[in-house]
Amino acid sequence: LIAAFSYVLADRNDEAGELIATARERSAELDDVWLSAWVDAIDGLLARRAGRLDEAEAASRRALDRFLGLGDRLGTLLPTLNLGRVECARGDVDAGLALLDRGTMLAQGLGDRLVTTLGHAYSARVLLSEGRVEAALDRLVDGLRSGRHAQNRVLLASVLDYVAGALAAFGDDETSARLVGRAETLRPTPDRDPLGLCSVVVDRMGEASFDLAARTGGALQLDEAIDLAVDRLALVRARAQANST
């Protein structure tokens, strides 16, 4: 299940699906409600990422009900976040963001830095898509701060990708390319910008210049890359605020 979760975050859906299927068979053999709840929680993430929103909602609600029945507050975090993303995907952004906020704040209160980071990253991506730039940039900074200690390289790679995409939207192509390069080094197999958030940067810089910047970023220490991302986000945030006034 841990491996399946990382594959989901890395958008490697086929590998994730195979592992989830194996885990579901094993949990049925063991008749383990807690394990079954985790299977549903991660399967819900996979279904949502594949666009199967009804399946995602059903799996996440089963997981949530089981965790609540067991009194496992930590277990409720992922399905709560996923239900928020499902609502956003269906167009009810306010309801979705409210669920994302609930899950993120609960994760923060429980000291789960991984899910806190995931919640901030999810919210930032939705806010960016809605044009709520300043709020999205704040969430990305929060995600980087918690992600520094989350101890999940694939998740942190996703956050760096989101930051790179946000910076690309503001024309900071050099930093965007560097962060994409550093994110690539965090994944179990080489995969540069899997969500295509920085394709515009390649067009503007040219492939050779983009590749050079990405390789330069890939050589950064992780803390250096995070500090760079936080600093550039703060600069973009200040400019966005100045423009709005």
Side-chain angles (χ1 to χ4, degrees):
L1 282 170
I2 293 169
F5 178 57
S6 290
Y7 277 129
V8 169
L9 293 178
D11 286 310
R12 293 174 59 179
N13 294 341
D14 290 343
E15 294 98 325
E18 291 173 4
L19 290 167
I20 290 168
T22 300
R24 190 176 294 282
E25 291 176 3
R26 185 62 176 147
S27 66
E29 292 171 4
L30 296 172
D31 193 24
D32 189 317
V33 175
W34 183 80
L35 184 57
S36 295
W38 275 110
V39 172
D40 280 329
I42 298 173
D43 199 17
L45 295 180
L46 179 62
R48 189 214 8 110
R49 283 176 170 254
R52 304 191 305 271
L53 298 183
D54 290 343
E55 291 179 33
E57 180 181 14
S60 295
R61 291 202 180 281
R62 283 196 306 271
L64 186 58
D65 289 344
R66 284 170 169 161
F67 284 129
L68 288 172
L70 294 167
D72 185 348
R73 291 201 298 161
L74 277 170
T76 67
L77 300 178
L78 275 181
T80 299
L81 291 184
N82 202 47
L83 287 169
R85 288 294 301 273
V86 168
E87 291 296 333
C88 290
R90 286 175 170 163
D92 195 343
V93 174
D94 288 338
L97 286 172
L99 282 167
L100 289 173
D101 284 344
R102 183 189 309 169
T104 304
M105 293 305 102
L106 178 58
Q108 186 171 318
L110 293 172
D112 190 323
R113 289 169 171 162
L114 189 152
V115 178
T116 300
T117 304
L118 191 64
H120 286 311
Y122 279 171
S123 295
R125 191 172 180 187
V126 173
L127 289 165
L128 281 171
S129 70
E130 291 292 303
R132 295 157 67 175
V133 176
E134 293 178 26
L137 297 178
D138 288 342
R139 286 304 187 94
L140 286 171
V141 171
D142 290 338
L144 287 166
R145 286 173 175 161
S146 58
R148 190 191 296 268
H149 308 288
Q151 298 182 344
N152 186 297
R153 292 165 60 89
V154 175
L155 174 57
L156 193 51
S158 294
V159 179
L160 289 176
D161 280 337
Y162 293 153
V163 174
L167 294 177
F170 287 91
D172 190 348
D173 293 347
E174 180 74 18
T175 306
S176 180
R178 288 186 180 188
L179 295 179
V180 164
R182 190 61 180 97
E184 181 182 16
T185 67
L186 294 171
R187 296 190 174 89
T189 57
D191 195 2
R192 181 177 292 179
D193 191 22
L195 299 178
L197 297 173
C198 298
S199 58
V200 65
V201 176
V202 180
D203 293 338
R204 290 195 295 243
M205 293 183 71
E207 288 188 14
S209 295
F210 181 86
D211 184 63
L212 177 60
R215 284 189 281 112
T216 300
L220 292 172
Q221 296 294 317
L222 185 54
D223 280 343
E224 290 177 332
I226 293 173
D227 289 341
L228 173 64
V230 170
D231 289 345
R232 300 305 294 181
L233 284 171
L235 180 60
V236 168
R237 174 75 162 81
R239 288 175 177 171
Q241 193 170 28
N243 290 335
S244 67
T245 58

